[in-house]
Amino acid sequence: MTIYASRFGAVEIPAHGLWTCRQPLAGFEELRDFALIQVAGQSPFAWLQSLELQPIAFLLAEPRHFGLRYPQPADAEVSGLAGAACQFLVMVTIPENKDEPLRPHHLGPLCFDAGRGEFVQWVLEPGRVSVSTGFRPQTGDLGLASALLPRLVHWPEAGDASPASSPSASVAA
Amino acid sequence: MLILTRRTGEAIRIGDKIRIVVVQAEAGKIRIGIEGPRELPILREELYTLIREGNQQANAPADLALEHWLTEGKKETP
């Protein structure tokens, strides 16, 4: 399918690039279908782009870049996904004041199950998670867990000069 | 809003899968027990509000905000 996102323009989302939100996200209960998009030059960040309301996109990064570690959730805590299969990404807020640090949404990490193409937001009580130590990028393949890479949409596709020069996209091999 | 009066030990059913029991009531505070499907998210309202606000703040940062942060913000990271 092709979406026309205000942030990216036209993006081709192949079937294996689709993600389903298993339980509604608080504040965005009507949204179920998403794509994970990584923009050239923006590693280790990725975008969780809504396929239903295209102005909606969340900036994500792995918790480790903020010094966050999460315990393995019980399956029931992640709405029946396999807790052991969780690849966590956290939403990131960019502060309006550039002197303030990036803020991870540490109480609501997203558990991605790459095998099922589903994700869910795990909500933790404040006492169950450590406080972010600030943004410190760690090394790693594109900055994202390798299990997620086959389902990651790259934009623009390899070989294009810049995001502004091409509206097309492809999924990692 | 539906308002019901219940005493300690009494319960309310919501559909056929959710049962809410008044466990204890005293001094302006009540303890309730909730039985329902394990996968049903049950949150204190203040935590739900915190999560919803965090989600809304993370949604759709201004165009170029990340690009600006990547070029300017990273320089300031010690």
Side-chain angles (χ1 to χ4, degrees):
Chain A
M1 68 181 294
T2 301
I3 63 164
Y4 296 89
S6 55
R7 186 174 297 277
F8 307 109
V11 182
E12 178 64 26
I13 310 292
H16 56 286
L18 301 176
W19 290 87
T20 301
C21 184
R22 193 172 173 88
Q23 283 284 349
L25 291 172
F28 299 90
E29 284 81 1
E30 72 277 25
L31 303 180
R32 290 285 178 171
D33 299 325
F34 292 84
L36 263 179
I37 300 175
Q38 189 158 56
V39 176
Q42 292 188 351
S43 176
F45 301 99
W47 295 91
L48 184 64
Q49 171 67 55
S50 166
L51 303 183
E52 293 148 316
L53 283 178
Q54 289 158 8
I56 293 181
F58 302 97
L59 183 63
L60 306 181
E62 278 196 73
R64 62 191 172 104
H65 300 304
F66 292 91
L68 295 169
R69 291 178 184 275
Y70 293 100
Q72 179 179 311
D75 295 357
E77 289 182 302
V78 285
S79 301
L81 292 184
C86 270
Q87 300 288 336
F88 285 116
L89 297 176
V90 288
M91 295 181 182
V92 178
T93 297
I94 304 172
E96 291 184 13
N97 182 347
K98 70 179 181 63
D99 294 328
E100 296 176 7
L102 294 177
R103 293 195 303 273
H105 191 6
H106 68 292
L107 295 180
L110 302 178
C111 159
F112 286 83
D113 183 336
R116 299 172 71 149
E118 295 183 328
F119 72 95
V120 70
Q121 186 166 39
W122 184 24
V123 177
L124 293 102
E125 292 286 342
R128 283 192 73 183
V129 59
S130 59
V131 177
S132 168
T133 57
F135 181 68
R136 294 285 186 276
Q138 307 294 303
T139 57
D141 234 357
L142 294 175
L144 291 173
S146 57
L148 298 176
L149 297 182
R151 288 183 171 272
L152 193 63
V153 177
H154 290 278
W155 189 86
E157 63 187 14
D160 287 337
S162 70
S165 69
S166 169
S168 61
S170 66
V171 166
Chain B
M1 178 187 292
L2 174 65
I3 299 175
L4 301 172
T5 300
R6 301 277 68 193
R7 293 187 172 83
T8 301
E10 294 181 336
I12 296 167
R13 289 234 176 217
I14 301 176
D16 61 350
K17 292 182 178 160
I18 300 172
R19 181 170 180 261
I20 299 174
V21 185
V22 178
V23 176
Q24 187 177 35
E26 61 181 26
K29 192 189 293 188
I30 64 167
R31 298 186 73 202
I32 58 175
I34 303 169
E35 298 170 1
R38 287 176 58 84
E39 296 175 8
L40 181 71
I42 300 172
L43 301 174
R44 292 180 294 112
E45 185 172 41
E46 54 268 36
L47 181 56
Y48 171 84
T49 300
L50 200 60
I51 294 298
R52 184 187 62 200
E53 290 175 352
N55 289 350
Q56 290 168 337
Q57 288 168 10
N59 171 42
D63 284 345
L64 302 179
L66 179 60
E67 292 83 348
H68 184 262
W69 188 88
L70 286 168
T71 54
E72 298 299 321
K74 268 186 176 176
K75 290 178 188 173
E76 297 168 8
T77 301

mmCIF file of all heavy atoms in Angstrom, chain B residues 22-64:
data_model
loop_
_atom_site.group_PDB
_atom_site.id
_atom_site.type_symbol
_atom_site.label_atom_id
_atom_site.label_comp_id
_atom_site.label_asym_id
_atom_site.label_seq_id
_atom_site.Cartn_x
_atom_site.Cartn_y
_atom_site.Cartn_z
ATOM 1 N N VAL B 22 -16.215 -4.814 46.236
ATOM 2 C CA VAL B 22 -15.776 -3.879 47.277
ATOM 3 C C VAL B 22 -15.135 -4.713 48.383
ATOM 4 O O VAL B 22 -15.802 -5.500 49.050
ATOM 5 C CB VAL B 22 -16.957 -3.061 47.829
ATOM 6 C CG1 VAL B 22 -16.476 -2.131 48.945
ATOM 7 C CG2 VAL B 22 -17.631 -2.276 46.718
ATOM 8 N N VAL B 23 -13.834 -4.553 48.546
ATOM 9 C CA VAL B 23 -13.089 -5.352 49.519
ATOM 10 C C VAL B 23 -13.118 -4.695 50.897
ATOM 11 O O VAL B 23 -13.267 -5.346 51.926
ATOM 12 C CB VAL B 23 -11.631 -5.540 49.046
ATOM 13 C CG1 VAL B 23 -10.804 -6.278 50.093
ATOM 14 C CG2 VAL B 23 -11.605 -6.282 47.714
ATOM 15 N N GLN B 24 -12.963 -3.383 50.903
ATOM 16 C CA GLN B 24 -12.893 -2.670 52.187
ATOM 17 C C GLN B 24 -13.334 -1.227 51.937
ATOM 18 O O GLN B 24 -13.014 -0.656 50.896
ATOM 19 C CB GLN B 24 -11.453 -2.708 52.709
ATOM 20 C CG GLN B 24 -11.270 -2.159 54.106
ATOM 21 C CD GLN B 24 -9.816 -2.303 54.557
ATOM 22 O OE1 GLN B 24 -8.887 -2.185 53.763
ATOM 23 N NE2 GLN B 24 -9.625 -2.573 55.835
ATOM 24 N N ALA B 25 -14.040 -0.656 52.877
ATOM 25 C CA ALA B 25 -14.454 0.749 52.768
ATOM 26 C C ALA B 25 -14.372 1.388 54.133
ATOM 27 O O ALA B 25 -15.028 0.939 55.072
ATOM 28 C CB ALA B 25 -15.868 0.847 52.218
ATOM 29 N N GLU B 26 -13.522 2.410 54.231
ATOM 30 C CA GLU B 26 -13.421 3.127 55.509
ATOM 31 C C GLU B 26 -12.697 4.443 55.312
ATOM 32 O O GLU B 26 -11.851 4.575 54.430
ATOM 33 C CB GLU B 26 -12.686 2.287 56.561
ATOM 34 C CG GLU B 26 -11.260 1.937 56.189
ATOM 35 C CD GLU B 26 -10.583 1.089 57.260
ATOM 36 O OE1 GLU B 26 -11.289 0.397 57.995
ATOM 37 O OE2 GLU B 26 -9.346 1.154 57.336
ATOM 38 N N ALA B 27 -13.044 5.390 56.116
ATOM 39 C CA ALA B 27 -12.353 6.681 56.170
ATOM 40 C C ALA B 27 -12.169 7.314 54.784
ATOM 41 O O ALA B 27 -11.092 7.785 54.440
ATOM 42 C CB ALA B 27 -10.992 6.520 56.855
ATOM 43 N N GLY B 28 -13.244 7.308 54.015
ATOM 44 C CA GLY B 28 -13.187 7.975 52.717
ATOM 45 C C GLY B 28 -12.353 7.269 51.679
ATOM 46 O O GLY B 28 -12.032 7.828 50.629
ATOM 47 N N LYS B 29 -11.988 6.022 51.960
ATOM 48 C CA LYS B 29 -11.164 5.275 51.015
ATOM 49 C C LYS B 29 -11.781 3.897 50.820
ATOM 50 O O LYS B 29 -12.241 3.288 51.789
ATOM 51 C CB LYS B 29 -9.748 5.135 51.587
ATOM 52 C CG LYS B 29 -8.726 4.623 50.572
ATOM 53 C CD LYS B 29 -7.408 4.296 51.252
ATOM 54 C CE LYS B 29 -6.698 5.517 51.792
ATOM 55 N NZ LYS B 29 -5.331 5.197 52.283
ATOM 56 N N ILE B 30 -11.810 3.425 49.578
ATOM 57 C CA ILE B 30 -12.305 2.070 49.361
ATOM 58 C C ILE B 30 -11.243 1.252 48.648
ATOM 59 O O ILE B 30 -10.443 1.774 47.866
ATOM 60 C CB ILE B 30 -13.626 2.033 48.547
ATOM 61 C CG1 ILE B 30 -13.418 2.568 47.130
ATOM 62 C CG2 ILE B 30 -14.729 2.772 49.252
ATOM 63 C CD1 ILE B 30 -14.577 2.271 46.211
ATOM 64 N N ARG B 31 -11.217 -0.041 48.963
ATOM 65 C CA ARG B 31 -10.364 -0.982 48.232
ATOM 66 C C ARG B 31 -11.276 -1.847 47.391
ATOM 67 O O ARG B 31 -12.285 -2.361 47.892
ATOM 68 C CB ARG B 31 -9.538 -1.847 49.183
ATOM 69 C CG ARG B 31 -8.575 -1.056 50.042
ATOM 70 C CD ARG B 31 -7.702 -1.997 50.831
ATOM 71 N NE ARG B 31 -6.721 -2.629 49.951
ATOM 72 C CZ ARG B 31 -6.105 -3.780 50.224
ATOM 73 N NH1 ARG B 31 -6.404 -4.433 51.318
ATOM 74 N NH2 ARG B 31 -5.210 -4.270 49.393
ATOM 75 N N ILE B 32 -10.946 -1.975 46.132
ATOM 76 C CA ILE B 32 -11.780 -2.792 45.263
ATOM 77 C C ILE B 32 -10.934 -3.888 44.627
ATOM 78 O O ILE B 32 -9.736 -3.734 44.412
ATOM 79 C CB ILE B 32 -12.460 -1.946 44.164
ATOM 80 C CG1 ILE B 32 -11.432 -1.202 43.313
ATOM 81 C CG2 ILE B 32 -13.451 -0.970 44.758
ATOM 82 C CD1 ILE B 32 -12.026 -0.459 42.147
ATOM 83 N N GLY B 33 -11.566 -4.985 44.367
ATOM 84 C CA GLY B 33 -10.925 -6.072 43.639
ATOM 85 C C GLY B 33 -11.592 -6.187 42.280
ATOM 86 O O GLY B 33 -12.803 -5.981 42.151
ATOM 87 N N ILE B 34 -10.806 -6.465 41.276
ATOM 88 C CA ILE B 34 -11.333 -6.544 39.912
ATOM 89 C C ILE B 34 -10.976 -7.909 39.339
ATOM 90 O O ILE B 34 -9.803 -8.291 39.316
ATOM 91 C CB ILE B 34 -10.740 -5.431 39.026
ATOM 92 C CG1 ILE B 34 -11.025 -4.057 39.657
ATOM 93 C CG2 ILE B 34 -11.321 -5.508 37.606
ATOM 94 C CD1 ILE B 34 -10.263 -2.925 39.018
ATOM 95 N N GLU B 35 -11.970 -8.633 38.918
ATOM 96 C CA GLU B 35 -11.745 -9.902 38.222
ATOM 97 C C GLU B 35 -12.132 -9.709 36.764
ATOM 98 O O GLU B 35 -13.194 -9.167 36.466
ATOM 99 C CB GLU B 35 -12.612 -11.008 38.832
ATOM 100 C CG GLU B 35 -12.310 -11.288 40.288
ATOM 101 C CD GLU B 35 -13.357 -12.205 40.919
ATOM 102 O OE1 GLU B 35 -14.296 -12.614 40.198
ATOM 103 O OE2 GLU B 35 -13.242 -12.489 42.112
ATOM 104 N N GLY B 36 -11.251 -10.125 35.875
ATOM 105 C CA GLY B 36 -11.551 -9.979 34.455
ATOM 106 C C GLY B 36 -10.497 -10.686 33.644
ATOM 107 O O GLY B 36 -9.569 -11.286 34.186
ATOM 108 N N PRO B 37 -10.602 -10.623 32.334
ATOM 109 C CA PRO B 37 -9.600 -11.259 31.475
ATOM 110 C C PRO B 37 -8.211 -10.712 31.786
ATOM 111 O O PRO B 37 -8.043 -9.494 31.966
ATOM 112 C CB PRO B 37 -10.038 -10.868 30.058
ATOM 113 C CG PRO B 37 -11.484 -10.512 30.188
ATOM 114 C CD PRO B 37 -11.655 -9.961 31.553
ATOM 115 N N ARG B 38 -7.215 -11.593 31.838
ATOM 116 C CA ARG B 38 -5.857 -11.162 32.195
ATOM 117 C C ARG B 38 -5.300 -10.139 31.219
ATOM 118 O O ARG B 38 -4.455 -9.321 31.565
ATOM 119 C CB ARG B 38 -4.929 -12.379 32.252
ATOM 120 C CG ARG B 38 -5.157 -13.262 33.466
ATOM 121 C CD ARG B 38 -4.289 -14.505 33.418
ATOM 122 N NE ARG B 38 -2.866 -14.200 33.343
ATOM 123 C CZ ARG B 38 -2.095 -13.938 34.398
ATOM 124 N NH1 ARG B 38 -2.627 -13.924 35.594
ATOM 125 N NH2 ARG B 38 -0.819 -13.695 34.257
ATOM 126 N N GLU B 39 -5.786 -10.189 29.990
ATOM 127 C CA GLU B 39 -5.240 -9.280 28.985
ATOM 128 C C GLU B 39 -5.932 -7.918 28.983
ATOM 129 O O GLU B 39 -5.551 -7.036 28.222
ATOM 130 C CB GLU B 39 -5.361 -9.918 27.595
ATOM 131 C CG GLU B 39 -4.539 -11.190 27.467
ATOM 132 C CD GLU B 39 -4.744 -11.883 26.134
ATOM 133 O OE1 GLU B 39 -5.402 -11.298 25.259
ATOM 134 O OE2 GLU B 39 -4.249 -13.014 25.980
ATOM 135 N N LEU B 40 -6.953 -7.757 29.828
ATOM 136 C CA LEU B 40 -7.670 -6.482 29.854
ATOM 137 C C LEU B 40 -6.831 -5.446 30.605
ATOM 138 O O LEU B 40 -6.513 -5.642 31.775
ATOM 139 C CB LEU B 40 -9.021 -6.661 30.555
ATOM 140 C CG LEU B 40 -9.896 -5.426 30.652
ATOM 141 C CD1 LEU B 40 -10.459 -5.066 29.279
ATOM 142 C CD2 LEU B 40 -11.041 -5.670 31.642
ATOM 143 N N PRO B 41 -6.440 -4.345 29.961
ATOM 144 C CA PRO B 41 -5.655 -3.335 30.680
ATOM 145 C C PRO B 41 -6.507 -2.663 31.755
ATOM 146 O O PRO B 41 -7.614 -2.211 31.473
ATOM 147 C CB PRO B 41 -5.270 -2.320 29.588
ATOM 148 C CG PRO B 41 -5.617 -2.957 28.286
ATOM 149 C CD PRO B 41 -6.683 -3.957 28.562
ATOM 150 N N ILE B 42 -5.995 -2.651 32.964
ATOM 151 C CA ILE B 42 -6.685 -1.982 34.071
ATOM 152 C C ILE B 42 -5.680 -1.041 34.711
ATOM 153 O O ILE B 42 -4.643 -1.479 35.200
ATOM 154 C CB ILE B 42 -7.203 -3.000 35.112
ATOM 155 C CG1 ILE B 42 -8.188 -3.971 34.443
ATOM 156 C CG2 ILE B 42 -7.857 -2.284 36.292
ATOM 157 C CD1 ILE B 42 -8.612 -5.135 35.322
ATOM 158 N N LEU B 43 -5.958 0.240 34.672
ATOM 159 C CA LEU B 43 -5.015 1.241 35.163
ATOM 160 C C LEU B 43 -5.709 2.199 36.109
ATOM 161 O O LEU B 43 -6.897 2.502 35.935
ATOM 162 C CB LEU B 43 -4.440 2.065 33.988
ATOM 163 C CG LEU B 43 -3.685 1.311 32.899
ATOM 164 C CD1 LEU B 43 -3.333 2.276 31.774
ATOM 165 C CD2 LEU B 43 -2.433 0.684 33.464
ATOM 166 N N ARG B 44 -4.953 2.683 37.104
ATOM 167 C CA ARG B 44 -5.437 3.821 37.870
ATOM 168 C C ARG B 44 -5.595 4.989 36.899
ATOM 169 O O ARG B 44 -4.786 5.154 35.979
ATOM 170 C CB ARG B 44 -4.430 4.188 38.966
ATOM 171 C CG ARG B 44 -4.303 3.148 40.064
ATOM 172 C CD ARG B 44 -3.299 3.559 41.135
ATOM 173 N NE ARG B 44 -1.945 3.614 40.610
ATOM 174 C CZ ARG B 44 -1.234 4.717 40.456
ATOM 175 N NH1 ARG B 44 -1.739 5.891 40.790
ATOM 176 N NH2 ARG B 44 -0.005 4.669 39.981
ATOM 177 N N GLU B 45 -6.632 5.816 37.110
ATOM 178 C CA GLU B 45 -6.897 6.863 36.128
ATOM 179 C C GLU B 45 -5.728 7.847 36.007
ATOM 180 O O GLU B 45 -5.405 8.308 34.923
ATOM 181 C CB GLU B 45 -8.172 7.635 36.480
ATOM 182 C CG GLU B 45 -8.533 8.646 35.394
ATOM 183 C CD GLU B 45 -9.888 9.276 35.610
ATOM 184 O OE1 GLU B 45 -10.218 9.601 36.763
ATOM 185 O OE2 GLU B 45 -10.604 9.461 34.616
ATOM 186 N N GLU B 46 -5.068 8.144 37.134
ATOM 187 C CA GLU B 46 -3.973 9.115 37.050
ATOM 188 C C GLU B 46 -2.802 8.568 36.222
ATOM 189 O O GLU B 46 -2.110 9.315 35.533
ATOM 190 C CB GLU B 46 -3.505 9.563 38.440
ATOM 191 C CG GLU B 46 -3.124 8.455 39.391
ATOM 192 C CD GLU B 46 -4.286 7.984 40.257
ATOM 193 O OE1 GLU B 46 -5.423 7.943 39.767
ATOM 194 O OE2 GLU B 46 -4.031 7.640 41.436
ATOM 195 N N LEU B 47 -2.602 7.242 36.262
ATOM 196 C CA LEU B 47 -1.532 6.662 35.445
ATOM 197 C C LEU B 47 -1.949 6.655 33.971
ATOM 198 O O LEU B 47 -1.145 6.966 33.087
ATOM 199 C CB LEU B 47 -1.212 5.237 35.923
ATOM 200 C CG LEU B 47 -0.088 4.514 35.180
ATOM 201 C CD1 LEU B 47 1.212 5.316 35.210
ATOM 202 C CD2 LEU B 47 0.140 3.121 35.770
ATOM 203 N N TYR B 48 -3.222 6.326 33.717
ATOM 204 C CA TYR B 48 -3.725 6.388 32.345
ATOM 205 C C TYR B 48 -3.533 7.796 31.772
ATOM 206 O O TYR B 48 -3.077 7.971 30.634
ATOM 207 C CB TYR B 48 -5.208 5.996 32.300
ATOM 208 C CG TYR B 48 -5.837 6.246 30.960
ATOM 209 C CD1 TYR B 48 -5.726 5.319 29.927
ATOM 210 C CD2 TYR B 48 -6.529 7.436 30.705
ATOM 211 C CE1 TYR B 48 -6.278 5.559 28.676
ATOM 212 C CE2 TYR B 48 -7.088 7.680 29.463
ATOM 213 C CZ TYR B 48 -6.963 6.743 28.457
ATOM 214 O OH TYR B 48 -7.506 6.998 27.224
ATOM 215 N N THR B 49 -3.853 8.816 32.594
ATOM 216 C CA THR B 49 -3.728 10.201 32.134
ATOM 217 C C THR B 49 -2.264 10.534 31.831
ATOM 218 O O THR B 49 -1.955 11.190 30.833
ATOM 219 C CB THR B 49 -4.282 11.154 33.212
ATOM 220 O OG1 THR B 49 -5.656 10.828 33.431
ATOM 221 C CG2 THR B 49 -4.171 12.608 32.772
ATOM 222 N N LEU B 50 -1.379 10.059 32.693
ATOM 223 C CA LEU B 50 0.055 10.299 32.490
ATOM 224 C C LEU B 50 0.525 9.680 31.165
ATOM 225 O O LEU B 50 1.268 10.303 30.391
ATOM 226 C CB LEU B 50 0.817 9.679 33.663
ATOM 227 C CG LEU B 50 2.231 10.140 33.983
ATOM 228 C CD1 LEU B 50 2.239 11.629 34.299
ATOM 229 C CD2 LEU B 50 2.779 9.356 35.179
ATOM 230 N N ILE B 51 0.082 8.459 30.898
ATOM 231 C CA ILE B 51 0.473 7.774 29.663
ATOM 232 C C ILE B 51 -0.117 8.481 28.450
ATOM 233 O O ILE B 51 0.560 8.703 27.438
ATOM 234 C CB ILE B 51 0.018 6.303 29.713
ATOM 235 C CG1 ILE B 51 0.775 5.544 30.809
ATOM 236 C CG2 ILE B 51 0.208 5.620 28.360
ATOM 237 C CD1 ILE B 51 2.269 5.479 30.615
ATOM 238 N N ARG B 52 -1.387 8.866 28.553
ATOM 239 C CA ARG B 52 -2.037 9.540 27.417
ATOM 240 C C ARG B 52 -1.327 10.860 27.101
ATOM 241 O O ARG B 52 -1.063 11.166 25.941
ATOM 242 C CB ARG B 52 -3.512 9.799 27.739
ATOM 243 C CG ARG B 52 -4.287 10.405 26.562
ATOM 244 C CD ARG B 52 -5.678 10.791 26.981
ATOM 245 N NE ARG B 52 -5.618 11.805 28.023
ATOM 246 C CZ ARG B 52 -6.606 12.085 28.867
ATOM 247 N NH1 ARG B 52 -7.736 11.417 28.807
ATOM 248 N NH2 ARG B 52 -6.462 13.014 29.782
ATOM 249 N N GLU B 53 -0.996 11.620 28.152
ATOM 250 C CA GLU B 53 -0.313 12.892 27.921
ATOM 251 C C GLU B 53 1.067 12.678 27.319
ATOM 252 O O GLU B 53 1.499 13.422 26.434
ATOM 253 C CB GLU B 53 -0.212 13.678 29.242
ATOM 254 C CG GLU B 53 -1.558 14.201 29.706
ATOM 255 C CD GLU B 53 -1.510 14.870 31.063
ATOM 256 O OE1 GLU B 53 -0.451 14.799 31.747
ATOM 257 O OE2 GLU B 53 -2.523 15.439 31.464
ATOM 258 N N GLY B 54 1.762 11.650 27.785
ATOM 259 C CA GLY B 54 3.075 11.342 27.207
ATOM 260 C C GLY B 54 2.959 10.956 25.744
ATOM 261 O O GLY B 54 3.783 11.355 24.912
ATOM 262 N N ASN B 55 1.934 10.168 25.415
ATOM 263 C CA ASN B 55 1.713 9.794 24.013
ATOM 264 C C ASN B 55 1.438 11.031 23.165
ATOM 265 O O ASN B 55 1.966 11.161 22.049
ATOM 266 C CB ASN B 55 0.525 8.828 23.902
ATOM 267 C CG ASN B 55 0.832 7.444 24.468
ATOM 268 O OD1 ASN B 55 1.964 7.135 24.780
ATOM 269 N ND2 ASN B 55 -0.195 6.629 24.602
ATOM 270 N N GLN B 56 0.594 11.915 23.682
ATOM 271 C CA GLN B 56 0.241 13.098 22.895
ATOM 272 C C GLN B 56 1.438 14.021 22.696
ATOM 273 O O GLN B 56 1.608 14.615 21.641
ATOM 274 C CB GLN B 56 -0.931 13.828 23.561
ATOM 275 C CG GLN B 56 -2.231 13.020 23.447
ATOM 276 C CD GLN B 56 -3.361 13.527 24.313
ATOM 277 O OE1 GLN B 56 -3.124 14.197 25.321
ATOM 278 N NE2 GLN B 56 -4.591 13.187 23.953
ATOM 279 N N GLN B 57 2.281 14.100 23.729
ATOM 280 C CA GLN B 57 3.477 14.951 23.586
ATOM 281 C C GLN B 57 4.455 14.370 22.571
ATOM 282 O O GLN B 57 5.172 15.113 21.899
ATOM 283 C CB GLN B 57 4.172 15.105 24.941
ATOM 284 C CG GLN B 57 3.415 15.979 25.918
ATOM 285 C CD GLN B 57 3.960 15.884 27.330
ATOM 286 O OE1 GLN B 57 5.015 15.312 27.562
ATOM 287 N NE2 GLN B 57 3.228 16.441 28.278
ATOM 288 N N ALA B 58 4.474 13.043 22.467
ATOM 289 C CA ALA B 58 5.426 12.408 21.550
ATOM 290 C C ALA B 58 4.926 12.404 20.116
ATOM 291 O O ALA B 58 5.696 12.137 19.194
ATOM 292 C CB ALA B 58 5.692 10.963 21.993
ATOM 293 N N ASN B 59 3.653 12.709 19.917
ATOM 294 C CA ASN B 59 3.093 12.641 18.570
ATOM 295 C C ASN B 59 3.547 13.822 17.721
ATOM 296 O O ASN B 59 3.487 14.971 18.158
ATOM 297 C CB ASN B 59 1.561 12.639 18.637
ATOM 298 C CG ASN B 59 0.937 12.790 17.269
ATOM 299 O OD1 ASN B 59 1.386 12.183 16.299
ATOM 300 N ND2 ASN B 59 -0.076 13.623 17.170
ATOM 301 N N ALA B 60 3.965 13.505 16.522
ATOM 302 C CA ALA B 60 4.178 14.486 15.462
ATOM 303 C C ALA B 60 4.929 15.733 15.888
ATOM 304 O O ALA B 60 4.379 16.827 15.885
ATOM 305 C CB ALA B 60 2.830 14.872 14.861
ATOM 306 N N PRO B 61 6.171 15.592 16.288
ATOM 307 C CA PRO B 61 6.968 16.798 16.521
ATOM 308 C C PRO B 61 7.042 17.624 15.248
ATOM 309 O O PRO B 61 6.834 17.109 14.149
ATOM 310 C CB PRO B 61 8.339 16.253 16.916
ATOM 311 C CG PRO B 61 8.370 14.843 16.446
ATOM 312 C CD PRO B 61 6.949 14.368 16.447
ATOM 313 N N ALA B 62 7.304 18.904 15.418
ATOM 314 C CA ALA B 62 7.320 19.804 14.260
ATOM 315 C C ALA B 62 8.271 19.282 13.182
ATOM 316 O O ALA B 62 9.302 18.671 13.488
ATOM 317 C CB ALA B 62 7.751 21.198 14.712
ATOM 318 N N ASP B 63 7.871 19.517 11.929
ATOM 319 C CA ASP B 63 8.758 19.144 10.827
ATOM 320 C C ASP B 63 10.131 19.764 11.066
ATOM 321 O O ASP B 63 10.237 20.905 11.493
ATOM 322 C CB ASP B 63 8.185 19.667 9.499
ATOM 323 C CG ASP B 63 7.024 18.799 9.038
ATOM 324 O OD1 ASP B 63 6.868 17.694 9.575
ATOM 325 O OD2 ASP B 63 6.273 19.244 8.157
ATOM 326 N N LEU B 64 11.132 19.003 10.839
ATOM 327 C CA LEU B 64 12.535 19.429 10.961
ATOM 328 C C LEU B 64 13.007 19.555 12.410
ATOM 329 O O LEU B 64 14.159 19.872 12.649
ATOM 330 C CB LEU B 64 12.797 20.736 10.213
ATOM 331 C CG LEU B 64 12.479 20.705 8.706
ATOM 332 C CD1 LEU B 64 12.761 22.071 8.086
ATOM 333 C CD2 LEU B 64 13.291 19.634 7.998
#
